[in-house]
Amino acid sequence: MEEHLSTPRNNELWDAAGEAVRNGRAYMADVEAKLVDAEQRIALMDRSGIATTIVSLTSPGVQGVSDSRQAVELARESNDAARRDFVDAYPGRLEFFAAVALQDPQAAADELERAVRELGAKGALVNGYTNIGDQDTGRYLDHPDNAPFWTKVAELDVPVYLHPREPLPSQRRLYEGYESLVGSAWGFGHETATHAVRLMLSGLFDARPDLKIILGHLGEGLPFLLPRLEHRLYKQREGIGLGAAQRRVSEYFNDNFLVTTSGHFHTRSLDNTISAIGVDRVMFSVDYPYESMNEAVDWFTTCPLSNNDRAKIGGDNAKRLFGL
Ligand code: ZN
C-alpha cells in the first residue's frame, strides 16, 4: 500500500534532477517511467503474486507546492487521474490514497471527503510537512491550523499514510558532503520518525483517539527508538517536554499507528517491529517503483514467519483495515 504513481502534471512540477544526482540517473529514469505506467505495474503484480495495490502520488507531490491555489488544483487533478487511469483501468487490482493540499486545511478536508465518498479513496497519503508560501517554510501535521483536516479524517474514519520527504533545504547541514544521505537512504526516516513523534506529543491522539496513522519502512526506526525516547521523556526528565500528550508514546504507537514493510525487507527488523506493535498492525508493502516487487515478495514468502502471521501481514490486516 505504499506504491506510487505520478501524472504528467506532477512531472511538470517536479524536476527530479536533484533526486537523479543522489539516486543515480539510470535508477531514476527507470522509476519515472514506471510511475506513470499502470499496465507494467499490473504485469509485475501478476508475476510476483500481488493481488491488490493501493497507489498514491509520489513524494513530495502536493505537499511540495508552495502556492496554495496550485496545490489545491494538483490534489484534485491527481485524485481524478488516480481514479481514472489506475483504479478504473484495473478494477479490483488497484485502489488509491487521496492527495490533499494541506496548504489550505479546509480545502484538504473537502477534497478528502470528495475523494473518499465520490472516488472511493481508501484514505489519504501525506508526504511529510507541507510547504507554505516558499520551499523553506514547512508546516507539520501537528500544527493547530490542520484541525479541519483531522476533523474530516475522524468523521470519514479513514487512515492517513504519513510518507517521507526530504528535510527542509535549510535543515540539511547534518548531511553536507554526504548528499546521498538526504533522501530515502537516511534523511527520510529521520524526518518522518520525528514527524510521527510530534503527532504523539501534540495531544492529537488524546483529542481524537480513533485516528489511524500508517508509517512505512517498518515504522521509520520507531520500534527500536521509542523505548529510549520514552525512558528519557517520562522517567528521567519527569515530564519536561511532554507537550500536550496525556499518555506514553508507546501507547500512541500501539493504539494509533500501523506500519508497512515498504522498502525494508529485513527479517530482524520485522521481528523487532512485530514485538513493538503486534503482528495485527504490520502490513506488507513494496514501495514500487522505488523498490522491486520480486525482491520484496521473495523475502516475504521465505522469511521465518508462521503461516498465520504471514497471512495477516500479507493481506488479512489490510483487508480488515480497508474493508476490502
Ligand atoms: Zn514510498
Side-chain angles (χ1 to χ4, degrees):
M1 69 192 61
E2 188 191 314
E3 320 300 341
H4 305 300
L5 62 83
S6 191
T7 64
R9 178 93 184 99
N10 189 59
N11 285 348
E12 263 174 45
L13 281 169
W14 298 117
D15 173 8
E19 262 188 275
V21 169
R22 287 190 284 279
N23 294 330
R25 288 185 188 280
Y27 169 81
M28 283 310 293
D30 180 57
V31 162
E32 281 174 25
K34 287 175 173 166
L35 278 169
V36 296
D37 186 342
E39 191 181 344
Q40 186 184 8
R41 185 182 302 255
I42 293 290
L44 289 167
M45 286 166 63
D46 287 342
R47 220 176 296 159
S48 48
I50 296 174
T52 304
T53 282
I54 304 179
V55 295
S56 51
L57 190 64
T58 195
S59 183
V62 174
Q63 268 60 59
V65 180
S66 304
D67 178 73
S68 174
R69 190 185 47 79
Q70 209 178 26
V72 170
E73 276 170 22
L74 180 65
R76 198 177 170 87
E77 282 174 29
S78 303
N79 294 333
D80 286 339
R83 171 64 194 248
R84 181 184 64 237
D85 301 336
F86 287 80
V87 179
D88 283 349
Y90 297 94
R93 302 299 305 280
L94 301 179
E95 304 284 354
F96 84 106
F97 284 129
V100 286
L102 286 156
Q103 292 82 350
D104 179 342
Q106 186 56 54
D110 294 345
E111 177 60 10
L112 180 64
E113 178 157 39
R114 185 186 78 94
V116 170
R117 293 202 199 278
E118 293 177 27
L119 306 179
K122 296 298 173 192
L125 182 136
V126 177
N127 289 305
Y129 60 85
T130 294
N131 283 106
I132 308 290
D134 63 64
Q135 285 298 299
D136 213 14
T137 304
R139 186 163 65 202
Y140 287 85
L141 282 165
D142 57 295
H143 196 284
D145 285 1
N146 290 315
F149 172 69
W150 288 119
T151 299
K152 187 56 70 179
V153 170
E155 182 193 318
L156 294 169
D157 191 25
V158 290
V160 173
Y161 202 120
L162 176 55
H163 186 275
R165 66 176 295 190
E166 296 182 345
L168 285 163
S170 65
Q171 293 176 19
R172 297 178 189 176
R173 168 64 183 87
L174 186 57
Y175 307 121
E176 221 172 85
Y178 302 90
E179 268 61 38
S180 59
L181 296 182
V182 170
S184 54
W186 187 263
F188 268 26
H190 195 222
E191 173 77 23
T192 312
T194 308
H195 196 165
V197 170
R198 289 180 67 100
L199 291 180
M200 294 177 193
L201 297 184
S202 71
L204 177 68
F205 303 121
D206 300 290
R208 303 189 181 285
D210 295 330
L211 288 180
K212 295 182 283 281
I213 310 294
I214 307 175
L215 294 175
H217 316 107
L218 288 177
E220 311 289 2
L222 289 176
F224 189 86
L225 294 171
L226 276 183
R228 161 87 172 151
L229 172 69
E230 187 156 303
H231 172 67
R232 297 299 297 175
L233 280 181
Y234 295 84
K235 191 171 178 182
Q236 296 196 342
R237 301 189 67 185
E238 295 174 341
I240 297 169
L242 288 185
Q246 304 290 312
R247 304 168 69 203
R248 291 174 171 269
V249 290
S250 58
E251 294 178 55
Y252 300 122
F253 193 56
N254 273 245
D255 290 352
N256 298 103
F257 285 79
L258 301 104
V259 304
T260 75
T261 64
S262 61
H264 198 149
F265 315 129
H266 192 262
T267 303
R268 200 163 61 226
S269 303
L270 176 66
D271 287 345
N272 184 240
T273 302
I274 292 172
S275 75
I277 201 169
V279 71
D280 291 335
R281 289 178 168 266
V282 182
M283 298 175 286
F284 176 77
S285 284
V286 177
D287 206 352
Y288 178 85
Y290 299 91
E291 300 284 345
S292 141
M293 291 194 209
N294 275 337
E295 194 183 323
V297 169
D298 283 351
W299 164 73
F300 183 65
T301 50
T302 55
C303 73
L305 282 172
S306 69
N307 288 341
N308 288 338
D309 285 356
R310 207 181 320 272
K312 284 180 174 180
I313 298 171
D316 290 350
N317 292 340
K319 282 184 200 162
R320 193 176 62 246
L321 178 64
F322 297 108
L324 293 172

Short mmCIF file of all heavy atoms in Angstrom, two decimals, residues 67-89:
data_model
loop_
_atom_site.label_atom_id
_atom_site.label_comp_id
_atom_site.label_asym_id
_atom_site.label_seq_id
_atom_site.Cartn_x
_atom_site.Cartn_y
_atom_site.Cartn_z
N ASP A 67 2.53 27.32 -3.63
CA ASP A 67 1.34 28.13 -3.86
C ASP A 67 0.08 27.33 -3.51
O ASP A 67 -0.18 26.26 -4.07
CB ASP A 67 1.30 28.56 -5.34
CG ASP A 67 0.07 29.37 -5.65
OD1 ASP A 67 0.02 30.53 -5.23
OD2 ASP A 67 -0.86 28.82 -6.28
N SER A 68 -0.72 27.89 -2.61
CA SER A 68 -1.87 27.17 -2.09
C SER A 68 -2.89 26.81 -3.17
O SER A 68 -3.39 25.68 -3.23
CB SER A 68 -2.52 28.05 -1.00
OG SER A 68 -3.69 27.47 -0.57
N ARG A 69 -3.20 27.77 -4.05
CA ARG A 69 -4.21 27.53 -5.08
C ARG A 69 -3.75 26.42 -6.04
O ARG A 69 -4.51 25.53 -6.41
CB ARG A 69 -4.46 28.84 -5.85
CG ARG A 69 -5.64 28.82 -6.80
CD ARG A 69 -5.72 30.12 -7.59
NE ARG A 69 -4.43 30.52 -8.16
CZ ARG A 69 -3.89 29.98 -9.26
NH1 ARG A 69 -4.51 29.04 -9.93
NH2 ARG A 69 -2.70 30.39 -9.69
N GLN A 70 -2.45 26.48 -6.40
CA GLN A 70 -1.89 25.47 -7.30
C GLN A 70 -1.89 24.08 -6.62
O GLN A 70 -2.14 23.06 -7.27
CB GLN A 70 -0.45 25.87 -7.63
CG GLN A 70 0.02 25.41 -8.97
CD GLN A 70 1.44 25.89 -9.26
OE1 GLN A 70 2.23 26.14 -8.35
NE2 GLN A 70 1.76 26.03 -10.52
N ALA A 71 -1.64 24.06 -5.32
CA ALA A 71 -1.63 22.79 -4.58
C ALA A 71 -3.03 22.17 -4.56
O ALA A 71 -3.19 20.96 -4.76
CB ALA A 71 -1.14 23.03 -3.15
N VAL A 72 -4.04 23.00 -4.34
CA VAL A 72 -5.43 22.51 -4.31
C VAL A 72 -5.80 21.92 -5.68
O VAL A 72 -6.41 20.85 -5.76
CB VAL A 72 -6.40 23.65 -3.92
CG1 VAL A 72 -7.85 23.24 -4.11
CG2 VAL A 72 -6.15 24.07 -2.46
N GLU A 73 -5.38 22.60 -6.74
CA GLU A 73 -5.65 22.09 -8.10
C GLU A 73 -4.94 20.77 -8.35
O GLU A 73 -5.52 19.84 -8.93
CB GLU A 73 -5.18 23.12 -9.15
CG GLU A 73 -6.18 24.22 -9.42
CD GLU A 73 -5.56 25.32 -10.29
OE1 GLU A 73 -4.56 25.06 -10.98
OE2 GLU A 73 -6.09 26.45 -10.23
N LEU A 74 -3.67 20.70 -7.95
CA LEU A 74 -2.91 19.47 -8.19
C LEU A 74 -3.53 18.28 -7.44
O LEU A 74 -3.60 17.17 -7.99
CB LEU A 74 -1.44 19.64 -7.77
CG LEU A 74 -0.57 18.40 -7.99
CD1 LEU A 74 -0.43 18.07 -9.48
CD2 LEU A 74 0.82 18.58 -7.37
N ALA A 75 -3.99 18.52 -6.22
CA ALA A 75 -4.60 17.43 -5.46
C ALA A 75 -5.83 16.91 -6.19
O ALA A 75 -6.00 15.70 -6.38
CB ALA A 75 -4.98 17.92 -4.05
N ARG A 76 -6.67 17.82 -6.63
CA ARG A 76 -7.90 17.44 -7.31
C ARG A 76 -7.61 16.67 -8.62
O ARG A 76 -8.16 15.59 -8.86
CB ARG A 76 -8.71 18.71 -7.60
CG ARG A 76 -10.15 18.44 -7.90
CD ARG A 76 -10.94 19.73 -8.10
NE ARG A 76 -12.25 19.39 -8.62
CZ ARG A 76 -13.29 19.09 -7.83
NH1 ARG A 76 -13.19 19.13 -6.53
NH2 ARG A 76 -14.45 18.74 -8.38
N GLU A 77 -6.71 17.24 -9.40
CA GLU A 77 -6.35 16.59 -10.68
C GLU A 77 -5.73 15.22 -10.46
O GLU A 77 -6.02 14.27 -11.19
CB GLU A 77 -5.31 17.46 -11.42
CG GLU A 77 -5.89 18.66 -12.13
CD GLU A 77 -4.77 19.53 -12.71
OE1 GLU A 77 -3.68 18.99 -13.05
OE2 GLU A 77 -4.98 20.74 -12.78
N SER A 78 -4.85 15.12 -9.45
CA SER A 78 -4.17 13.84 -9.19
C SER A 78 -5.16 12.77 -8.74
O SER A 78 -5.05 11.61 -9.13
CB SER A 78 -3.11 14.02 -8.10
OG SER A 78 -2.21 15.02 -8.46
N ASN A 79 -6.12 13.17 -7.90
CA ASN A 79 -7.10 12.19 -7.43
C ASN A 79 -8.01 11.73 -8.57
O ASN A 79 -8.32 10.54 -8.67
CB ASN A 79 -7.92 12.78 -6.27
CG ASN A 79 -7.04 13.03 -5.05
OD1 ASN A 79 -6.02 12.35 -4.87
ND2 ASN A 79 -7.42 13.99 -4.23
N ASP A 80 -8.39 12.65 -9.42
CA ASP A 80 -9.18 12.26 -10.59
C ASP A 80 -8.38 11.31 -11.49
O ASP A 80 -8.92 10.32 -12.00
CB ASP A 80 -9.60 13.51 -11.39
CG ASP A 80 -10.71 14.29 -10.68
OD1 ASP A 80 -11.40 13.71 -9.83
OD2 ASP A 80 -10.87 15.50 -10.98
N ALA A 81 -7.09 11.63 -11.68
CA ALA A 81 -6.24 10.78 -12.53
C ALA A 81 -6.02 9.41 -11.91
O ALA A 81 -6.02 8.39 -12.61
CB ALA A 81 -4.90 11.47 -12.78
N ALA A 82 -5.85 9.36 -10.60
CA ALA A 82 -5.65 8.06 -9.93
C ALA A 82 -6.87 7.18 -10.13
O ALA A 82 -6.75 5.99 -10.43
CB ALA A 82 -5.38 8.28 -8.43
N ARG A 83 -8.04 7.78 -9.99
CA ARG A 83 -9.27 7.01 -10.17
C ARG A 83 -9.43 6.57 -11.64
O ARG A 83 -9.69 5.40 -11.92
CB ARG A 83 -10.48 7.86 -9.72
CG ARG A 83 -11.84 7.29 -10.04
CD ARG A 83 -12.10 5.97 -9.31
NE ARG A 83 -13.24 5.28 -9.87
CZ ARG A 83 -14.40 5.11 -9.25
NH1 ARG A 83 -14.58 5.56 -8.03
NH2 ARG A 83 -15.38 4.47 -9.84
N ARG A 84 -9.24 7.52 -12.55
CA ARG A 84 -9.50 7.25 -13.97
C ARG A 84 -8.45 6.31 -14.58
O ARG A 84 -8.79 5.32 -15.22
CB ARG A 84 -9.50 8.59 -14.72
CG ARG A 84 -9.79 8.52 -16.21
CD ARG A 84 -9.66 9.89 -16.84
NE ARG A 84 -8.30 10.41 -16.74
CZ ARG A 84 -7.94 11.56 -16.16
NH1 ARG A 84 -8.85 12.34 -15.62
NH2 ARG A 84 -6.68 11.94 -16.12
N ASP A 85 -7.17 6.65 -14.38
CA ASP A 85 -6.10 5.96 -15.11
C ASP A 85 -5.58 4.71 -14.40
O ASP A 85 -4.88 3.90 -15.01
CB ASP A 85 -4.93 6.92 -15.37
CG ASP A 85 -5.37 8.14 -16.17
OD1 ASP A 85 -6.39 8.04 -16.89
OD2 ASP A 85 -4.71 9.19 -16.05
N PHE A 86 -5.88 4.57 -13.13
CA PHE A 86 -5.37 3.41 -12.39
C PHE A 86 -6.53 2.54 -11.89
O PHE A 86 -6.68 1.41 -12.31
CB PHE A 86 -4.47 3.88 -11.23
CG PHE A 86 -3.14 4.40 -11.72
CD1 PHE A 86 -3.01 5.69 -12.22
CD2 PHE A 86 -2.00 3.59 -11.70
CE1 PHE A 86 -1.80 6.17 -12.69
CE2 PHE A 86 -0.78 4.05 -12.17
CZ PHE A 86 -0.69 5.35 -12.66
N VAL A 87 -7.36 3.08 -10.99
CA VAL A 87 -8.41 2.26 -10.36
C VAL A 87 -9.42 1.76 -11.40
O VAL A 87 -9.71 0.56 -11.47
CB VAL A 87 -9.13 3.08 -9.26
CG1 VAL A 87 -10.26 2.25 -8.62
CG2 VAL A 87 -8.13 3.53 -8.20
N ASP A 88 -9.94 2.67 -12.22
CA ASP A 88 -10.95 2.27 -13.20
C ASP A 88 -10.37 1.40 -14.32
O ASP A 88 -11.07 0.60 -14.92
CB ASP A 88 -11.63 3.50 -13.82
CG ASP A 88 -12.65 4.11 -12.87
OD1 ASP A 88 -12.97 3.46 -11.86
OD2 ASP A 88 -13.11 5.24 -13.14
N ALA A 89 -9.07 1.59 -14.58
CA ALA A 89 -8.44 0.79 -15.64
C ALA A 89 -8.24 -0.66 -15.22
O ALA A 89 -8.22 -1.55 -16.06
CB ALA A 89 -7.09 1.43 -16.03
#
